[in-house]
Amino acid sequence: MKIALCDFDEKYLSSLLTYLYGKCTGNSFFTFTTLEDYEESLIEGSYEYVVMGDTFHEALKHKEEIEECVPADSKLIILSSSIDKLSSDEGHEVYKFGPMDGLCRMMSQDSKKVSQAKSFAIYSPAHHELTEMYGLSMSQMLSENMKVLLVDAMHCPVIRRLIRDGPTGSIVDVIYKLENGKVDEIRDLIEEFGGVDILPFALTPTDVISISKSQWSSLIDYIMSLGYEAYVFVIDDINQGFREIMEMVDSCVLINRRGDYYKMQQEDMRDYIRSLGTKITTVELLMSANNLNEGCYQLEELLTGNLGRYVRSQHY
């Protein structure tokens, strides 16, 4: 791909270029520190991606209509000099002085996605009790039109109660097989519930935390090679692969609870996830799972009741 890097700071561009050459291989980068040089380069053709510092972008907008300098077939990414000024269109803006992994992921996602697969992360900074069921409900909705894999990476998953004969393996078993050349055996461990394929999950609270960042990277690469049309990751805080998952997915659904404390907590996490280049949808889920212990309300009813109807209303 042809990628234009535009910023008035020549030293910053040099550092960014060095990083991208090491991370985003197979691309051609072109750097510009003046508006005139960038505009002149468009005579020879457009770029797949145009990455601009926010001051460069503002200067360009004031000079002439921005559409004339960023052709319709180019994707514009803004490098914001302030994390507080990131716009609501998170998918096209990255914090300039933060980690650039998200920028590299954004520019390479087209070539890495299998059949343009959708991918979501479901996460609740407020630890909402229905986070896991929200992910399963979304997976079931998506499965009506496509093949879906649910990756439940909660450290103590409730979803195990829905597997009729009990799980045949754990997420640790998947890692073991990946590292010992037994990849062909992993598919036999994948469970199914309600039309959704489910990767083996944690069987003990220590399973998820025991998986290192490098192991998560290998697991994600394997998962994305399986050829599903949609992937849904349900995660919590106790996860060394949190950042790796967030950088991989297209969109993160943040599930919040009512209250200012939870709201402040979510705002901090939203800023961090946004800096990785991941789109964010915020959900304030006002329902709970009452009466489960009394036996008059089953987990399955959550998926077809109010929760299921709410997830469908979000049109994922």
Side-chain angles (χ1 to χ4, degrees):
M1 293 191 299
K2 290 177 60 180
I3 299 171
L5 306 175
C6 310
D7 196 89
F8 292 128
D9 188 337
E10 187 173 348
K11 289 184 178 180
Y12 175 83
L13 269 190
S14 178
S15 298
L16 178 61
L17 183 62
T18 300
Y19 172 82
L20 292 177
Y21 266 134
K23 284 286 186 177
C24 305
T25 57
N27 298 308
S28 298
F29 296 98
F30 302 83
T31 60
F32 304 97
T33 56
T34 69
L35 303 180
E36 292 74 20
D37 286 347
Y38 167 66
E39 292 173 309
E40 185 177 339
S41 75
L42 294 177
I43 298 174
E44 300 179 4
S46 59
Y47 304 91
E48 278 79 8
Y49 283 91
V50 178
V51 182
M52 284 187 183
D54 50 4
T55 54
F56 194 102
H57 180 246
E58 287 299 318
L60 193 61
K61 284 200 302 183
H62 281 93
K63 185 175 181 181
E64 56 186 300
E65 290 297 323
I66 188 65
E67 288 79 10
E68 295 180 10
C69 292
V70 181
D73 57 349
S74 295
K75 298 178 181 179
L76 175 64
I77 300 175
I78 304 298
L79 298 171
S80 176
S81 57
S82 173
I83 197 169
D84 297 326
K85 295 181 180 179
L86 289 172
S87 71
S88 58
D89 192 6
E90 303 90 350
H92 301 284
E93 199 158 347
V94 176
Y95 179 43
K96 183 176 182 179
F97 304 109
M100 287 291 107
D101 305 59
L103 174 62
C104 189
R105 181 191 66 81
M106 291 166 67
M107 294 190 296
S108 61
Q109 63 183 356
D110 290 340
S111 59
K112 288 186 177 180
K113 296 296 182 184
V114 179
S115 303
Q116 296 297 307
K118 294 183 176 182
S119 54
F120 303 89
I122 314 298
Y123 169 59
S124 175
H127 304 109
H128 198 292
E129 61 181 318
L130 291 181
T131 302
E132 202 175 352
M133 290 298 101
Y134 195 101
L136 179 55
S137 183
M138 175 193 285
S139 299
Q140 286 192 317
M141 180 193 71
L142 293 171
S143 71
E144 294 174 1
N145 298 301
M146 59 188 69
K147 190 178 179 182
V148 181
L149 179 69
L150 172 64
V151 181
D152 188 334
M154 303 291 279
H155 73 284
C156 191
V158 176
I159 199 171
R160 72 177 72 183
R161 295 172 178 261
L162 299 175
I163 306 300
R164 187 172 301 278
D165 298 322
T168 56
S170 76
I171 193 168
V172 174
D173 294 321
V174 177
I175 296 295
Y176 173 81
K177 293 182 184 298
L178 275 178
E179 295 181 338
N180 290 275
K182 300 180 179 180
V183 176
D184 294 341
E185 299 178 11
I186 297 178
R187 285 186 177 271
D188 295 333
L189 299 178
I190 294 178
E191 309 283 353
E192 190 275 338
F193 176 80
V196 176
D197 283 357
I198 303 174
L199 194 78
F201 37 80
L203 295 184
T204 68
T206 58
D207 281 357
V208 172
I209 191 61
S210 68
I211 302 174
S212 68
K213 289 185 178 182
S214 61
Q215 288 174 324
W216 268 111
S217 295
S218 298
L219 179 58
I220 290 171
D221 288 342
Y222 168 74
I223 288 171
M224 297 303 291
S225 73
L226 292 175
Y228 286 87
E229 296 170 280
Y231 300 87
V232 178
F233 291 77
V234 182
I235 60 178
D236 56 14
D237 302 327
I238 310 176
N239 190 320
Q240 295 189 66
F242 184 94
R243 177 172 171 174
E244 283 69 21
I245 293 172
M246 288 299 178
E247 289 179 342
M248 187 277 298
V249 298
D250 299 318
S251 179
C252 173
V253 180
L254 284 182
I255 300 179
N256 201 17
R257 298 164 66 179
R258 180 174 290 173
D260 289 346
Y261 175 81
Y262 295 123
K263 190 174 296 184
M264 293 171 61
Q265 190 180 42
Q266 179 162 282
E267 287 174 356
D268 289 342
M269 287 306 304
R270 185 172 62 236
D271 289 342
Y272 169 69
I273 296 170
R274 180 185 296 171
S275 73
L276 301 177
T278 303
K279 295 180 181 179
I280 300 173
T281 301
T282 300
V283 172
E284 186 170 309
L285 203 56
L286 302 181
M287 60 189 73
S288 63
N290 292 328
N291 301 321
L292 286 177
N293 291 332
E294 285 78 5
C296 57
Y297 196 66
Q298 301 297 318
L299 284 174
E300 290 87 343
E301 293 181 66
L302 289 170
L303 305 174
T304 57
N306 291 339
L307 177 62
R309 288 192 290 270
Y310 178 82
V311 172
R312 287 180 179 278
S313 72
Q314 301 305 296
H315 302 294
Y316 296 110

